Amino acid sequence: MRDELSQDIFGTFVPEPSHADPVRRAQIQMKRPLPKRFYTDVTIGENEGGFAILLDGKSVKTPAKNALVLPTLEVAELVAAEWAGQGEEIDPGTMPITRLSNTAIDAVSQSLDAVFDEIVLFAGSDMLCYRAEAPKELVERQAARWDPVLAWIAEAHAARFILAEGVIHQAQPSEAISAYAAALERHRNAFALSSINVVTTLTGSAILGLAFAEGAFDLDDVWSLAHLDEDWTIEHWGTDAEAQARRESRYREFAAAASLFTALQSRD
């Protein structure tokens, strides 16, 4: 049993795939009873495909039984730190970079075009393009903070998005979508797209996802821009502990995706 766990710790006690979306399916596979920690040492081994995580000298596999091999040493160090930081039990909930790496290997690498197209599709209804009609203070705050992001993508990538008021869908120019897709193309690999997909989903903005990837805005700015409306509501109506806990959980996933993406850049 110890050998099996050391080879496939995230795959043990995992249910069969239960969702059509490969990214969501890989996430579902993470849910299982927590096993006891069975290893002492966590090391990194280099091979032709990249950098493997070794538990007491034995390599780890993903839920789909692929080798957990990371593309850069920096990514491997992040994953190794999560394994080393486990206590008496191994809790995947405290290992967001490992989980995201599993998703990249098991799901995104097998559906690279579909994930790429999903992010591009997200840009077609990007949050930054939908503005409040009132109150005046919120309208002005959105313009002051979101307009510079749209100005950046127009200048940097000739992707000129148009604005809409309210929630009625506004089709974006095909030229803007094509320009966005061309800018995203340089990140067409499983690990980068996995990270950008998480940032896009958690912020509600593919434009912010690309802005982060391009280094146009730092992590905290992207998070703040994504939560402008929510923060405005909190200022006026307050929040509760449950909502705050959900936001903190989302931020941890967001920060993990950003850390993984940054660690990828060492191979460029």
Side-chain angles (χ1 to χ4, degrees), residues 85-139:
Q86 296 302 297
E88 294 183 359
E89 295 180 328
I90 303 172
D91 182 4
T94 64
M95 306 172 75
I97 298 177
T98 301
R99 298 198 324 269
L100 186 54
S101 297
N102 285 338
T103 298
I105 294 167
D106 288 350
V108 177
S109 66
Q110 304 302 313
S111 305
L112 203 61
D113 291 344
V115 175
F116 183 94
D117 292 344
E118 180 181 352
I119 297 172
V120 174
L121 183 64
F122 218 108
S125 56
D126 200 279
M127 175 191 70
L128 300 187
C129 298
Y130 290 84
R131 305 300 175 86
E133 299 174 273
K136 180 174 180 290
E137 293 83 358
L138 177 58
V139 172

Side-chain angles (χ1 to χ4, degrees), residues 97 145 195-196 198-200 202-203 208-227 247 250-262:
I97 298 177
R145 300 207 60 206
S195 300
I196 294 171
V198 169
V199 173
T200 296
L202 291 177
T203 62
L208 284 177
L210 181 64
F212 167 75
E214 297 284 309
F217 298 87
D218 67 24
L219 186 68
D220 289 337
D221 283 340
V222 170
W223 185 254
S224 177
L225 288 164
H227 291 80
R247 178 160 170 165
R250 294 198 310 272
Y251 182 81
R252 287 192 292 271
E253 297 293 326
F254 172 78
S259 295
L260 188 152
F261 184 88
T262 299

